[in-house]
Amino acid sequence: MKGRERKIQTFPVRTESGSIALFLGLKLVSNGGVAIFCGMKSSVTKILRNTADIFSRNISLPAPSIVCDQEELTRLCYLYEQNFGDQSDLTAAAKLGVFAHHGDTPHGLRLAIEHAMRERLIHFVVCTSTIAQGVNLPIRYLLVTGTHQGQGSIKVRDFHNLMGRAGRAGIHGEGTVIFSDPSLFDNREAWGQSWRWNEVQNLLSPDSTEPTGSSLLQLLLPLHNDRAANNIDVTPLALIQGLLKQRSEIFEWASHLPDELIEQNFSSKSILWQLEEKCGVLDAIESFLMSYREDKSSDLFFETALALARETFAYALANESEKTLLAEIFREIAQHIEKSIPDVDEQARYGRTLLGVNLSLEIDKWVTTNMAGLQTVISETELLDVIWPMLQSLTSENLIRDVEPANAIKELAKEWISGKPFHSLLSFLNDLGATYPAGKQRRKFSESMVVELCEQGFGFELTLLLAAISEALSAKIIDDEEEKNRLTDLMNLLQKRMKYGLSTKSEIAFFEVGFAERVVAQAVNKAVNMQTTSTTIARTLLKQSTAEVGAVIEQFPDYFRSLYRSIVS
């Protein structure tokens, strides 16, 4: 027992499918590659944490590290330490030969892990469905911890794609899929539990594969309650019209549902999620239609919108009434565009932002109002200070809006674009006493949350908003070409620094050459010791500095070493 523990810990824990999957994986990994599938990223994190814990208790099982290529394992662990520090559960699990693979795994690390698995240099990953998305890995054993993915059941089609990872042709003669939750079978005849076993059998049957669908068709669905048993009494077309013209009012209503709806098992969380899904589709259609606007009359534009609706996959799948409704929605969207943004050139510009009409208009209005302040900035950090309130108000990422103290995330963004590693970013937030809302409580940040916030919040969503601001700046400054170029160059640099989490143009150039991992790009830039803003010049500098770069790149995983060899050859 450790510390304040009062009970003897056992492994595996019979009631935890993740613990059983880990035990089975440790037993099987000497025979071939192992992947543990989890429905949620938090489950991946828990298994890695448990891996580090059980081996710290001197468990009598060999670690997967003994079947790894030791040189590659050392290089991967070095990269983990540089990113997450030597106290991280991720680093501890990596040293034991167990690696995470999910949507928030930093891109460069994912590439390195996939390469090492493909080359059979490592043999054990704990993953979400990312492993099924076109990644060809030599997995012999797929251990499935549950039949759910995120908030719902995994689709049969996705599960069969996942099963296809085990026993790849030309790698293993056969593959094995194991469900690690014993209660699925044990309770197959128990009252109220048999549906779980039926769900497993359904997943295994190819005949149960769902029909192909389209995200556009969700626009035709009504708002339903948490059990999908009751619907709110509003037609799909009326709801779309409301979201186009009164989006903020509808979201405000959804945040404070009337008691009669709550009594019917409607919840604000579920309704808001459904509305956000619909708005995402609407914004995508708006951007698509604006991109196709060209210099046409309004009537011709409306006809083009109808023609595009008829060419969609959703239209091909729809029945006759759904086809009529889908065409009406596209026409409503086109009319909303034409009324909100009469200028054809502005429509084309808004189409490039991918943000839809409402957000694009808000950004344009903000840029016009704050132009004087924008023209005084001389650095990317000053620019970030000026635009942060607008970024914070427009983002859909709750962690960017709801953290205390109020300036914590802005200051974290500055640390991110200065190139600080994840373990330093987590320490920075802890030093600030930063917390986020979790129900009625507030919690401190975890390592995985910092990675998600930086990779998805900063690196994706804020990057899109920055691109839209840059487009607006370029359009609004018409009398001073020099000032326009200065501000848009500054904005574009801030956008790339936010996307990659790097501090200089030179580091960005080496990242874009192919060293798509922050730590690696920084190390290569330091080894070259010459500044560049061009990927072409960066390649030349790499060939001119083979001794210096070669010595540095040897510290990093084989993926980056192979990449460097291909560049210099």
Side-chain angles (χ1 to χ4, degrees), residues 212-214 216-217 309-318 326:
T212 304
S214 167
L216 290 182
L217 291 177
R310 297 185 189 105
E311 292 175 6
T312 63
F313 185 51
Y315 194 86
L317 295 174
L326 198 61

PDB file of all heavy atoms in Angstrom, residues 212-214 216-217 309-318 326:
ATOM      1  N   THR A 212     -25.606   4.682 -44.699  1.00  0.00           N
ATOM      2  CA  THR A 212     -24.773   5.864 -44.843  1.00  0.00           C
ATOM      3  C   THR A 212     -25.613   7.119 -44.608  1.00  0.00           C
ATOM      4  O   THR A 212     -26.763   7.202 -45.046  1.00  0.00           O
ATOM      5  CB  THR A 212     -24.161   5.916 -46.254  1.00  0.00           C
ATOM      6  OG1 THR A 212     -23.448   4.698 -46.481  1.00  0.00           O
ATOM      7  CG2 THR A 212     -23.202   7.091 -46.386  1.00  0.00           C
ATOM      8  N   GLY A 213     -25.037   8.089 -43.897  1.00  0.00           N
ATOM      9  CA  GLY A 213     -25.775   9.309 -43.595  1.00  0.00           C
ATOM     10  C   GLY A 213     -25.025  10.550 -44.033  1.00  0.00           C
ATOM     11  O   GLY A 213     -23.937  10.473 -44.599  1.00  0.00           O
ATOM     12  N   SER A 214     -25.631  11.687 -43.769  1.00  0.00           N
ATOM     13  CA  SER A 214     -25.025  12.977 -44.105  1.00  0.00           C
ATOM     14  C   SER A 214     -25.312  13.953 -42.973  1.00  0.00           C
ATOM     15  O   SER A 214     -26.438  14.011 -42.455  1.00  0.00           O
ATOM     16  CB  SER A 214     -25.587  13.524 -45.418  1.00  0.00           C
ATOM     17  OG  SER A 214     -25.228  14.880 -45.584  1.00  0.00           O
ATOM     18  N   LEU A 216     -25.710  17.019 -43.219  1.00  0.00           N
ATOM     19  CA  LEU A 216     -26.695  18.018 -43.646  1.00  0.00           C
ATOM     20  C   LEU A 216     -28.107  17.631 -43.225  1.00  0.00           C
ATOM     21  O   LEU A 216     -28.942  18.500 -42.948  1.00  0.00           O
ATOM     22  CB  LEU A 216     -26.654  18.194 -45.169  1.00  0.00           C
ATOM     23  CG  LEU A 216     -25.428  18.868 -45.785  1.00  0.00           C
ATOM     24  CD1 LEU A 216     -25.609  18.997 -47.287  1.00  0.00           C
ATOM     25  CD2 LEU A 216     -25.171  20.217 -45.163  1.00  0.00           C
ATOM     26  N   LEU A 217     -28.361  16.332 -43.130  1.00  0.00           N
ATOM     27  CA  LEU A 217     -29.712  15.890 -42.806  1.00  0.00           C
ATOM     28  C   LEU A 217     -30.090  16.196 -41.366  1.00  0.00           C
ATOM     29  O   LEU A 217     -31.281  16.194 -41.027  1.00  0.00           O
ATOM     30  CB  LEU A 217     -29.853  14.390 -43.079  1.00  0.00           C
ATOM     31  CG  LEU A 217     -29.815  13.974 -44.552  1.00  0.00           C
ATOM     32  CD1 LEU A 217     -29.895  12.467 -44.700  1.00  0.00           C
ATOM     33  CD2 LEU A 217     -30.959  14.645 -45.324  1.00  0.00           C
ATOM     34  N   ALA A 309     -27.794  22.455 -53.621  1.00  0.00           N
ATOM     35  CA  ALA A 309     -28.522  21.587 -52.691  1.00  0.00           C
ATOM     36  C   ALA A 309     -28.830  20.244 -53.349  1.00  0.00           C
ATOM     37  O   ALA A 309     -28.700  19.188 -52.722  1.00  0.00           O
ATOM     38  CB  ALA A 309     -29.805  22.269 -52.233  1.00  0.00           C
ATOM     39  N   ARG A 310     -29.230  20.295 -54.609  1.00  0.00           N
ATOM     40  CA  ARG A 310     -29.596  19.059 -55.314  1.00  0.00           C
ATOM     41  C   ARG A 310     -28.379  18.185 -55.610  1.00  0.00           C
ATOM     42  O   ARG A 310     -28.534  16.989 -55.884  1.00  0.00           O
ATOM     43  CB  ARG A 310     -30.312  19.406 -56.617  1.00  0.00           C
ATOM     44  CG  ARG A 310     -31.640  20.143 -56.423  1.00  0.00           C
ATOM     45  CD  ARG A 310     -32.372  20.356 -57.731  1.00  0.00           C
ATOM     46  NE  ARG A 310     -33.515  21.238 -57.563  1.00  0.00           N
ATOM     47  CZ  ARG A 310     -33.547  22.510 -57.968  1.00  0.00           C
ATOM     48  NH1 ARG A 310     -32.492  23.035 -58.596  1.00  0.00           N
ATOM     49  NH2 ARG A 310     -34.617  23.246 -57.759  1.00  0.00           N
ATOM     50  N   GLU A 311     -27.180  18.766 -55.554  1.00  0.00           N
ATOM     51  CA  GLU A 311     -25.959  17.992 -55.828  1.00  0.00           C
ATOM     52  C   GLU A 311     -25.351  17.369 -54.569  1.00  0.00           C
ATOM     53  O   GLU A 311     -24.374  16.632 -54.655  1.00  0.00           O
ATOM     54  CB  GLU A 311     -24.913  18.904 -56.495  1.00  0.00           C
ATOM     55  CG  GLU A 311     -25.296  19.339 -57.895  1.00  0.00           C
ATOM     56  CD  GLU A 311     -24.297  20.342 -58.470  1.00  0.00           C
ATOM     57  OE1 GLU A 311     -23.270  20.594 -57.802  1.00  0.00           O
ATOM     58  OE2 GLU A 311     -24.553  20.856 -59.567  1.00  0.00           O
ATOM     59  N   THR A 312     -25.940  17.658 -53.406  1.00  0.00           N
ATOM     60  CA  THR A 312     -25.371  17.134 -52.168  1.00  0.00           C
ATOM     61  C   THR A 312     -25.730  15.663 -51.981  1.00  0.00           C
ATOM     62  O   THR A 312     -26.738  15.172 -52.500  1.00  0.00           O
ATOM     63  CB  THR A 312     -25.869  17.922 -50.941  1.00  0.00           C
ATOM     64  OG1 THR A 312     -27.288  17.761 -50.836  1.00  0.00           O
ATOM     65  CG2 THR A 312     -25.511  19.387 -51.047  1.00  0.00           C
ATOM     66  N   PHE A 313     -24.889  14.988 -51.193  1.00  0.00           N
ATOM     67  CA  PHE A 313     -25.152  13.583 -50.862  1.00  0.00           C
ATOM     68  C   PHE A 313     -26.423  13.469 -50.028  1.00  0.00           C
ATOM     69  O   PHE A 313     -27.182  12.511 -50.150  1.00  0.00           O
ATOM     70  CB  PHE A 313     -23.950  13.017 -50.105  1.00  0.00           C
ATOM     71  CG  PHE A 313     -24.044  11.550 -49.815  1.00  0.00           C
ATOM     72  CD1 PHE A 313     -24.330  10.637 -50.815  1.00  0.00           C
ATOM     73  CD2 PHE A 313     -23.838  11.074 -48.535  1.00  0.00           C
ATOM     74  CE1 PHE A 313     -24.416   9.282 -50.549  1.00  0.00           C
ATOM     75  CE2 PHE A 313     -23.915   9.720 -48.252  1.00  0.00           C
ATOM     76  CZ  PHE A 313     -24.206   8.819 -49.262  1.00  0.00           C
ATOM     77  N   ALA A 314     -26.651  14.475 -49.175  1.00  0.00           N
ATOM     78  CA  ALA A 314     -27.859  14.482 -48.345  1.00  0.00           C
ATOM     79  C   ALA A 314     -29.110  14.452 -49.215  1.00  0.00           C
ATOM     80  O   ALA A 314     -30.087  13.751 -48.900  1.00  0.00           O
ATOM     81  CB  ALA A 314     -27.866  15.716 -47.438  1.00  0.00           C
ATOM     82  N   TYR A 315     -29.098  15.214 -50.295  1.00  0.00           N
ATOM     83  CA  TYR A 315     -30.260  15.278 -51.194  1.00  0.00           C
ATOM     84  C   TYR A 315     -30.507  13.910 -51.834  1.00  0.00           C
ATOM     85  O   TYR A 315     -31.646  13.479 -51.994  1.00  0.00           O
ATOM     86  CB  TYR A 315     -30.020  16.329 -52.265  1.00  0.00           C
ATOM     87  CG  TYR A 315     -31.250  16.727 -53.045  1.00  0.00           C
ATOM     88  CD1 TYR A 315     -32.095  17.728 -52.569  1.00  0.00           C
ATOM     89  CD2 TYR A 315     -31.555  16.120 -54.263  1.00  0.00           C
ATOM     90  CE1 TYR A 315     -33.229  18.103 -53.286  1.00  0.00           C
ATOM     91  CE2 TYR A 315     -32.679  16.485 -54.993  1.00  0.00           C
ATOM     92  CZ  TYR A 315     -33.515  17.478 -54.490  1.00  0.00           C
ATOM     93  OH  TYR A 315     -34.629  17.851 -55.195  1.00  0.00           O
ATOM     94  N   ALA A 316     -29.415  13.219 -52.177  1.00  0.00           N
ATOM     95  CA  ALA A 316     -29.563  11.893 -52.787  1.00  0.00           C
ATOM     96  C   ALA A 316     -30.146  10.886 -51.800  1.00  0.00           C
ATOM     97  O   ALA A 316     -30.873   9.968 -52.197  1.00  0.00           O
ATOM     98  CB  ALA A 316     -28.206  11.406 -53.289  1.00  0.00           C
ATOM     99  N   LEU A 317     -29.842  11.049 -50.511  1.00  0.00           N
ATOM    100  CA  LEU A 317     -30.339  10.131 -49.490  1.00  0.00           C
ATOM    101  C   LEU A 317     -31.767  10.447 -49.056  1.00  0.00           C
ATOM    102  O   LEU A 317     -32.463   9.576 -48.540  1.00  0.00           O
ATOM    103  CB  LEU A 317     -29.438  10.180 -48.244  1.00  0.00           C
ATOM    104  CG  LEU A 317     -27.996   9.699 -48.400  1.00  0.00           C
ATOM    105  CD1 LEU A 317     -27.227   9.954 -47.115  1.00  0.00           C
ATOM    106  CD2 LEU A 317     -27.955   8.212 -48.750  1.00  0.00           C
ATOM    107  N   ALA A 318     -32.194  11.686 -49.272  1.00  0.00           N
ATOM    108  CA  ALA A 318     -33.463  12.156 -48.704  1.00  0.00           C
ATOM    109  C   ALA A 318     -34.672  11.610 -49.476  1.00  0.00           C
ATOM    110  O   ALA A 318     -34.577  11.279 -50.665  1.00  0.00           O
ATOM    111  CB  ALA A 318     -33.487  13.680 -48.715  1.00  0.00           C
ATOM    112  N   LEU A 326     -34.902  20.459 -47.745  1.00  0.00           N
ATOM    113  CA  LEU A 326     -33.475  20.763 -47.888  1.00  0.00           C
ATOM    114  C   LEU A 326     -33.267  21.904 -48.878  1.00  0.00           C
ATOM    115  O   LEU A 326     -32.461  22.820 -48.641  1.00  0.00           O
ATOM    116  CB  LEU A 326     -32.722  19.511 -48.338  1.00  0.00           C
ATOM    117  CG  LEU A 326     -31.207  19.481 -48.135  1.00  0.00           C
ATOM    118  CD1 LEU A 326     -30.852  19.611 -46.654  1.00  0.00           C
ATOM    119  CD2 LEU A 326     -30.620  18.196 -48.696  1.00  0.00           C
TER     120      LEU A 326
END
